[in-house]
Amino acid sequence: MNAQATERLALESALRLALDKGEFFLAYQPQMEIATGSIIGLEALIRWQHPELGLVPPDKFIPIAENNGLILQIGEWVLRTACAQARQWWDDGLPPVPIAVNVSAIQFRQENFSTLVKNVLLETGLSSEFLELELTESLLLSNEDVMFAVLQELRELGVKLAIDDFGTGYSSLSYLKQFRVNKLKIDRSFIRNIVFDPGDAAITTAIISMAKSLNLKVIAEGVENEAQMSFLRAHGCDEIQGYYFSKPSRRLK
């Protein structure tokens, strides 16, 4: 416990300087449309290249950033960097595709979050239809009145909305009708053993079926092999993301 506490303090101290020192970078993981095999989106994933510790996993530093409030600065940097890069690829002649950015609960609840998104889009020149914000189920249900107002503002901007890690949160699904998101993202924990575990297979199939009935796109993350891909194709999943198709990379290949 002492070693863990010491490591956490060291990371927190270094984290406060990481943004100014330019130690963060974004890796982009393509999202593939199963029916065509085409890239139809990219997810921006933050990485921290620590000068001494090397590559620090996001699950180690994101909770610290959320706890000390740095997630607001880091989240804004991710949003602005991802939008600017998407616009740059467009200017370089690549076909424009939506860029997906994860939004933490703390970041989403900050005052005038939708104004921040609007300003970033204006500054970077990225059209709102090419930005997709990934939100968690628990975030959407934390304060429904506030969430509804912010989501309405984002929809008016033309930004796409997706629910990340779908299936791991609340059991009540009425919010899907209320908030009118664009996409459900099946959590990798269901995909990992989808071929061997009848429970995971049943949950995944049910999510796909429900999404179809609500006219929502559905994407499976963490797809790593042909067996998983075949199952998802057979059951009508729209999109996949994972090592089977492409690892995250700083550059498009």
Side-chain angles (χ1 to χ4, degrees):
M1 291 177 62
N2 185 57
Q4 291 177 349
T6 301
E7 179 187 40
R8 182 181 178 87
L9 287 173
L11 286 176
E12 182 171 3
S13 178
L15 194 59
R16 294 183 182 280
L17 302 174
L19 197 57
D20 291 336
K21 290 183 176 181
E23 294 172 1
F24 292 122
F25 68 90
L26 295 184
Y28 299 89
Q29 187 168 40
Q31 299 171 331
M32 185 191 82
E33 185 176 53
I34 294 178
T36 64
S38 302
I39 294 177
I40 45 76
L42 297 162
E43 182 179 4
L45 302 166
I46 188 170
R47 298 290 185 262
W48 180 13
Q49 187 66 50
H50 192 283
E52 297 174 1
L53 300 176
L55 201 59
V56 181
D59 58 0
K60 273 200 169 185
F61 70 84
I62 292 297
I64 297 175
E66 290 180 329
N67 186 60
N68 63 19
L70 286 173
I71 194 64
L72 295 179
Q73 300 173 45
I74 295 173
E76 181 175 343
W77 177 85
V78 171
L79 178 65
R80 181 170 280 104
T81 303
C83 289
Q85 180 63 81
R87 178 67 207 201
Q88 184 61 57
W89 280 325
W90 192 356
D91 291 341
D92 290 342
L94 294 174
V97 294
I99 191 83
V101 176
N102 289 278
V103 178
S104 78
I106 296 173
Q107 184 184 7
F108 190 85
R109 295 189 191 109
Q110 69 178 305
E111 188 175 357
N112 298 322
F113 175 70
S114 58
T115 301
L116 169 63
V117 174
K118 180 180 179 180
N119 290 340
V120 168
L121 290 171
L122 289 173
E123 292 168 14
T124 60
L126 183 68
S127 175
S128 60
E129 65 184 300
F130 295 111
L131 174 62
E132 179 177 279
L133 300 179
E134 294 191 358
L135 316 169
T136 62
E137 290 180 275
S138 57
L139 165 60
L140 292 176
L141 293 172
S142 59
N143 187 327
E144 292 191 22
D145 292 337
V146 173
M147 294 305 107
F148 184 82
V150 178
L151 290 172
Q152 181 64 31
E153 293 171 354
L154 292 172
R155 278 199 301 269
E156 290 174 357
L157 288 177
V159 172
K160 292 181 171 63
L161 302 170
I163 300 179
D164 195 17
D165 302 333
F166 186 78
T168 61
Y170 291 76
S171 58
S172 173
L173 298 174
S174 60
Y175 70 90
L176 289 177
K177 180 176 67 174
Q178 179 183 3
F179 293 135
R180 300 201 308 274
V181 297
N182 304 97
K183 184 186 293 186
L184 303 183
K185 195 169 190 179
I186 305 175
D187 187 67
R188 66 180 65 247
S189 63
F190 299 123
I191 304 302
R192 187 178 301 114
N193 297 315
I194 195 173
V195 179
F196 310 105
D197 189 320
D200 287 343
I203 290 172
T204 300
T205 302
I207 292 174
I208 294 172
S209 177
M210 180 181 62
K212 295 290 185 182
S213 67
L214 294 172
N215 293 317
L216 302 176
K217 290 291 186 180
V218 59
I219 179 171
E221 63 177 342
V223 179
E224 298 182 350
N225 55 58
E226 176 60 35
Q228 295 167 341
M229 174 69 167
S230 297
F231 180 97
L232 294 166
R233 182 189 292 113
H235 289 83
C237 185
D238 298 303
E239 306 165 10
I240 67 160
Q241 179 180 339
Y243 281 22
Y244 175 76
F245 182 61
S246 177
K247 294 181 179 181
S249 173
R250 298 182 72 167
R251 298 176 179 85
L252 292 185
K253 298 179 180 179

